Amino acid sequence: MRSNKVRLIFTIAVIVVALLGMLIPGKNAAEYSGFGKLFSNLKLGLDIQGGSLFEYNLDLKGDVKAQDVIDNVILVLRNRLDAAGYTEATVARIDSGGNLRVRVEIPGIRDTQEAEKLLGSKGKLYFAEVLETSTTDVKPELRRNREIEINGSTIELYSWIQSKRNDTTWYKVKNVFEFGREPFEITGSDVIDAKPGLNTRGSGAVVHLNFSSAGSTKFELATGNLINKQLAIILDDKVIIAPVVNTKITQGGAEIEGIQEIQEAKNIAALIKSGNLPVDLVKFQERTLGPTLGRDIVDTIIKAGIIGLAIVMIYMIIFYGWMGVIADIALIYNTILLTGILSWTNAILTLPGIAGIILTFGTTVDGNVIIYERIKEELRMGRPPLTSVKFGFQKAFSTLFDANLTTVIAGIILYYFSTGAVRGFAITLIIGVLGSMFTNLVVSRTILEGTSHFIKPEKFTKKGEREGWDFVGKRKGFILFSTVLIAVALILSFTKNFEYGIDFAGGTEITVSMDDSISIEDIRNDMINIDPDYATAKIVKLDPIKGQEDKFFFSVTIKDSFEDTVQKDAFIDSLSKELNQEIEILQFNDVSGFASKEIKSFAWYAIIISLVMLLAYITLRFKFAFGIGALLALAHDVIIVLGFYSLFGVEINVSAIAAFLTLAGYSLNDTIVVYDRIRENFKNLRGRPVEVIVNKSINDVIIRSLHTSITTFIVVFLMLMLGGRAMAPFAFGLTIGIVIGTYSSLYIASPIVINMLKKSKKL
């Protein structure tokens, strides 16, 4: 009784802390209204609120190491973004399998071209004397040149630099000033401040530069010797402006004119103030999502979650009565606990993260079903309800621990080998599973022991001892059936191939909306006019977004990855002209070729390592024969599910890999429940044939397997039906996988190890 009071106090304390995390207003609470204020401490991911993600590799040269420069890169980018007004942006180091990259996320941004210029520019500013101007399509050749050494650095004295405004205009410049006693440079390091402003003497904008004391002296000396000559201001090897010097400048400042927009002036000022990047950045991937599309996707997924939650809660009450009510309370408790933990840690809530929360509905119910089936067995033996509850929890602990830990292992591996939004799924999955264990073992037990008198034993009493299904006797037929399924799946995989998303294939995927109706074939013909290679583009007509039913939506996927925003904008402009109407970009995903190769290799690493670790764990906890059986059953599930992806042409992307790893944990969860009962029955039924023991064990847990499979299937099936195209690769794999995984745990995983178990009955 005392222990139950302690659990009750702890249960209440935990839920109060979780609720406080949700109820205490966050710093962004003013942006939320009504029910949404409960989530003000959660930072919404870009795939929900809209915005752009840029991920860059570091172009390392010589002996430069990533770990030596990445902090400086992050600092420079952070300063640039702040100076340009992107104060809500985040800059982070990404360690993906030992490769260091930089990720920048800018919420709510509209002009991605300006942002990418700001981030990708090295930020090298310097002044140079203009010696000659040439108009040509190609860079002129230098007939002679020489090198000069300044402060230990060797610099080429002359170079041809292209104009930023006109690609055919080239300036021959002298990079070093040879006035006074020693040659010198005037660079960004001589500038202590750069401020954008409007051009009061004309149109456009300007950047006001203030020099340091040493910089002022050098600038005064240079301008005094260059009267009636041009002085070029060069940023990232482009001449921004090359004005004629009218008089010596002694005020310690200068102006950069000829800038058309104030935002461009802000970006130039930000580049100058933040300093040079220590290395060049190479775009790894870019993803942009409009807020309208993000909200529409979230609405459909939340709707699927609410409907699934309601159906599961009703299902549990129908089959378990009062214990079903407790399971529903535990389900709500774990949802609040998970949301509270995410709130306290100011976690970023992503679209896959929401899917992870919804998926924990199944894991919470699964744990309760394992316990309840044990309680029912105790009730059938004639024990009173309170005693049955205590024995049920005691006997279910080992199974519950092993089954959930396999899912946690899969989640940890997924977290390590993924980035971005999929990591959000891994985090919610891990927290959700651990939370469900706490909820099942502490919360449910506390309530059940205190209300055990509401349990009606007669509801769970068998009418007679049933013989059960002969799983083992028919194992050869089921193994033959599975062999045929695997063969068909492999044939489909190698002949029909897979529909790889840009995560694995590389390229660009654009979601657009337009006002006028147009056929897919007309879009394809218009794209061929832009480039004949676009004949292979994948074009899909999408369902309209809520509130914009009068518009037409399409997804266009091409094999090209755009190196910069100039190429991207040129493609979009050309497409708009060919379609003869304005198009709105709702989503833009660009994955480079080397990015897709890395993502694909990491996906294989994740799958292989998860299989090895899960095999090792099952071998450690049970026996090597069980590990082999579980591994074969898991390979069986993955191959068959892959066959379904190929058959129905469902896209395989990072979300699909997340589904496979989740399926691995789920499938082993089912298998471990059976193995745990086999281990128990080997002790209780010592001397009986192995076939009898295995068959009885499967029959003992079949009701549990069916209940948990049905409840989890309901949740993921609704996610598949209502979640739209964004959730299809993930939900499809789990929907098929749950059915196949349940089948393999009952008909494949256990019967297949019988011969190995016969050799040693000691478990």
Side-chain angles (χ1 to χ4, degrees):
M1 185 66 70
R2 178 179 175 82
S3 61
N4 201 43
K5 285 184 179 180
V6 173
R7 283 197 299 268
L8 177 61
I9 294 171
F10 189 63
T11 297
I12 294 172
V14 169
I15 199 66
V16 167
V17 172
L19 285 170
L20 286 174
M22 297 168 61
L23 296 174
I24 295 176
K27 62 180 181 180
N28 300 319
E31 301 175 9
Y32 295 81
S33 60
F35 185 72
K37 286 188 178 292
L38 293 176
F39 306 100
S40 62
N41 282 315
L42 288 174
K43 186 176 181 181
L44 300 180
L46 296 183
D47 55 353
I48 296 178
Q49 67 170 321
S52 292
L53 177 150
F54 302 93
E55 201 165 305
Y56 295 97
N57 275 329
L58 308 182
D59 186 14
L60 304 172
K61 292 182 172 62
D63 296 330
V64 178
K65 295 181 179 179
Q67 57 265 32
D68 295 335
V69 298
I70 193 164
D71 289 337
N72 191 13
V73 170
I74 291 172
L75 178 62
V76 170
L77 294 181
R78 177 73 271 165
N79 290 337
R80 288 182 183 182
L81 290 164
D82 288 344
Y86 300 116
T87 55
E88 293 297 315
T90 60
V91 186
R93 169 204 302 244
I94 300 297
D95 188 346
S96 181
N99 295 328
L100 290 179
R101 291 197 295 270
V102 176
R103 169 179 293 158
V104 179
E105 297 184 4
I106 310 176
I109 187 174
R110 296 291 181 185
D111 193 345
T112 58
Q113 181 175 359
E114 286 301 322
E116 190 170 352
K117 285 179 182 176
L118 181 69
L119 297 170
S121 298
K122 195 162 185 178
K124 182 183 179 182
L125 173 79
Y126 68 100
F127 295 76
E129 177 186 353
V130 177
L131 302 176
E132 184 183 340
T133 304
S134 176
T135 302
T136 175
D137 292 329
V138 295
K139 184 177 181 178
E141 290 186 13
L142 282 171
R143 296 182 180 178
R144 63 183 180 85
N145 205 348
R146 64 186 175 91
E147 294 179 342
I148 192 167
E149 188 170 311
I150 297 179
N151 298 326
S153 298
T154 302
I155 302 168
E156 289 189 346
L157 188 58
Y158 305 107
S159 57
W160 282 100
I161 305 294
Q162 191 177 34
S163 169
K164 180 179 174 63
R165 305 294 174 193
N166 190 336
D167 291 344
T168 61
T169 300
W170 295 83
Y171 296 90
K172 182 181 179 181
V173 300
K174 188 176 181 181
N175 298 311
V176 176
F177 299 100
E178 294 184 295
F179 310 125
R181 295 185 224 172
E182 298 289 339
F184 61 90
E185 290 182 289
I186 303 177
T187 67
S189 61
D190 294 308
V191 178
I192 59 173
D193 196 14
K195 294 181 179 178
L198 295 174
N199 190 344
T200 57
R201 297 183 299 276
S203 61
V206 297
V207 176
H208 304 281
L209 303 179
N210 290 323
F211 292 105
S212 64
S213 176
S216 297
T217 302
K218 290 192 286 185
F219 195 65
E220 181 180 342
L221 183 58
T223 54
N225 285 275
L226 292 175
I227 295 174
N228 296 326
K229 296 181 179 180
Q230 283 181 288
L231 178 66
I233 302 176
I234 301 166
L235 180 66
D236 286 332
D237 294 325
K238 296 284 185 181
V239 175
I240 300 178
I241 189 171
V244 175
V245 179
N246 295 317
T247 184
K248 180 195 291 188
I249 299 175
T250 59
Q251 297 90 350
E255 278 188 358
I256 301 176
E257 296 182 339
I259 303 170
Q260 297 177 354
E261 302 289 340
I262 187 65
Q263 184 60 51
E264 184 181 359
K266 287 182 180 180
N267 290 350
I268 291 174
L271 287 170
I272 296 170
K273 288 174 66 176
S274 62
N276 298 352
L277 279 170
V279 294
D280 289 326
L281 301 181
V282 181
K283 188 169 74 174
F284 185 80
Q285 63 176 326
E286 174 191 346
R287 299 181 187 272
T288 298
L289 180 70
T292 304
L293 184 59
R295 284 195 299 268
D296 190 68
I297 295 171
V298 171
D299 288 344
T300 57
I301 291 179
I302 290 178
K303 185 187 297 182
I306 292 173
I307 295 173
L309 179 63
I311 294 175
V312 168
M313 291 176 72
I314 293 170
Y315 182 95
M316 290 300 292
I317 292 174
I318 291 174
F319 283 94
Y320 289 100
W322 175 247
M323 290 195 296
V325 174
I326 305 303
D328 293 344
I329 294 172
L331 189 55
I332 296 171
Y333 185 102
N334 191 41
T335 304
I336 295 173
L337 176 61
L338 174 56
T339 308
I341 292 173
L342 295 175
S343 297
W344 276 116
T345 55
N346 292 118
I348 298 175
L349 187 62
T350 63
L351 199 59
I354 294 176
I357 293 173
I358 294 172
L359 195 60
T360 58
F361 297 166
T363 60
T364 306
V365 168
D366 179 43
N368 276 316
V369 169
I370 291 174
I371 295 166
Y372 292 174
E373 288 301 314
R374 283 291 194 174
I375 293 174
K376 285 165 61 176
E377 290 176 10
E378 301 301 319
L379 290 171
R380 289 173 186 142
M381 293 171 63
R383 291 193 171 98
L386 181 57
T387 305
S388 297
V389 168
K390 291 182 177 180
F391 273 98
F393 275 93
Q394 181 181 333
K395 291 183 177 181
F397 176 80
S398 176
T399 305
L400 201 62
F401 180 83
D402 288 329
N404 282 296
L405 194 59
T406 55
T407 305
V408 171
I409 290 172
I412 291 172
I413 294 169
L414 178 61
Y415 177 84
Y416 181 78
F417 283 101
S418 66
T419 59
V422 176
R423 271 197 172 180
F425 167 76
I427 290 170
T428 54
L429 180 66
I430 293 168
I431 296 174
V433 170
L434 295 176
S436 69
M437 287 183 66
F438 169 79
T439 305
N440 296 148
L441 297 172
V442 178
V443 179
S444 295
R445 181 169 185 172
T446 301
I447 301 174
L448 270 177
E449 287 189 4
T451 60
S452 59
H453 53 282
F454 287 114
I455 298 175
K456 298 178 179 179
E458 62 274 10
K459 179 180 175 64
F460 307 109
T461 303
K462 292 182 179 180
K463 301 298 182 183
E465 187 68 28
R466 59 186 177 85
E467 188 173 321
W469 179 260
D470 186 11
F471 292 93
V472 172
K474 298 177 173 58
R475 67 183 184 277
K476 292 182 180 178
F478 287 114
I479 291 173
L480 177 62
F481 175 67
S482 288
T483 303
V484 172
L485 282 180
I486 290 172
V488 172
L490 289 173
I491 292 171
L492 284 170
S493 300
F494 286 108
T495 57
K496 194 173 183 293
N497 296 321
F498 296 112
E499 187 72 30
Y500 287 115
I502 62 170
D503 293 331
F504 290 160
T508 302
E509 180 183 25
I510 306 173
T511 302
V512 300
S513 70
M514 55 192 77
D515 294 328
D516 300 330
S517 176
I518 188 171
S519 69
I520 290 177
E521 197 56 40
D522 286 340
I523 294 177
R524 189 179 306 281
N525 291 333
D526 289 336
M527 291 184 65
I528 292 173
N529 292 335
I530 300 172
D531 188 332
D533 289 341
Y534 292 154
T536 59
K538 178 183 176 183
I539 306 171
V540 179
K541 187 172 184 179
L542 307 176
D543 294 331
I545 292 175
K546 185 179 179 181
Q548 298 186 28
E549 287 80 3
D550 58 331
K551 292 189 175 184
F552 302 89
F553 299 84
F554 293 89
S555 169
V556 178
T557 304
I558 58 177
K559 295 178 181 178
D560 293 344
S561 173
F562 300 113
E563 292 183 3
D564 51 43
T565 52
V566 175
Q567 292 183 3
K568 178 182 75 175
D569 291 343
F571 168 75
I572 293 171
D573 289 342
S574 299
L575 182 60
S576 180
K577 288 177 183 177
E578 289 292 335
L579 295 173
N580 198 29
Q581 60 176 307
E582 291 293 323
I583 59 175
E584 181 183 358
I585 306 299
L586 301 177
Q587 186 174 20
F588 180 88
N589 295 327
D590 187 331
V591 179
S592 63
F594 55 83
S596 63
K597 289 178 182 176
E598 181 177 306
I599 293 171
K600 189 184 293 186
S601 63
F602 282 175
W604 280 112
Y605 291 155
I607 292 173
I608 292 170
I609 291 173
S610 65
L611 291 176
V612 171
M613 288 186 66
L614 292 170
L615 171 62
Y617 180 78
I618 293 175
T619 302
L620 180 67
R621 289 288 291 159
F622 293 90
K623 192 180 179 70
F624 184 69
F626 286 116
I628 294 297
L631 187 63
L632 291 174
L634 188 54
H636 162 279
D637 298 345
V638 171
I639 292 171
I640 293 175
V641 172
L642 277 172
F644 275 93
Y645 270 92
S646 178
L647 178 63
F648 289 98
V650 178
E651 185 178 285
I652 294 182
N653 55 20
V654 173
S655 295
I657 299 302
F660 282 121
L661 291 178
T662 307
L663 171 61
Y666 181 87
S667 178
L668 287 176
N669 184 318
D670 255 4
T671 302
I672 283 173
V673 171
V674 180
Y675 284 175
D676 189 73
R677 186 55 67 95
I678 292 174
R679 180 171 57 183
E680 180 181 327
N681 283 337
F682 255 83
K683 297 175 184 176
N684 298 336
L685 303 174
R686 195 176 300 276
R688 301 286 297 276
V690 172
E691 291 88 348
V692 173
I693 295 174
V694 171
N695 200 69
K696 178 176 177 11
S697 300
I698 298 174
N699 277 284
D700 286 346
V701 300
I702 187 172
I703 298 300
R704 171 266 167 200
S705 293
L706 292 177
H707 281 319
T708 55
S709 296
I710 290 170
T711 52
T712 309
F713 180 86
I714 289 170
V715 172
V716 296
F717 181 73
L718 286 170
M719 207 184 300
L720 175 64
M721 291 294 100
L722 302 178
R725 188 166 175 263
M727 292 306 300
F730 174 79
F732 178 83
L734 280 182
T735 301
I736 302 298
I738 286 169
V739 176
I740 301 299
T742 303
Y743 160 78
S744 69
S745 67
L746 296 175
Y747 294 94
I748 304 298
S750 300
I752 208 171
V753 299
I754 284 178
N755 290 334
M756 286 183 280
L757 290 177
K758 281 182 177 180
K759 296 177 182 178
S760 174
K761 294 187 179 182
K762 185 178 179 181
L763 296 180

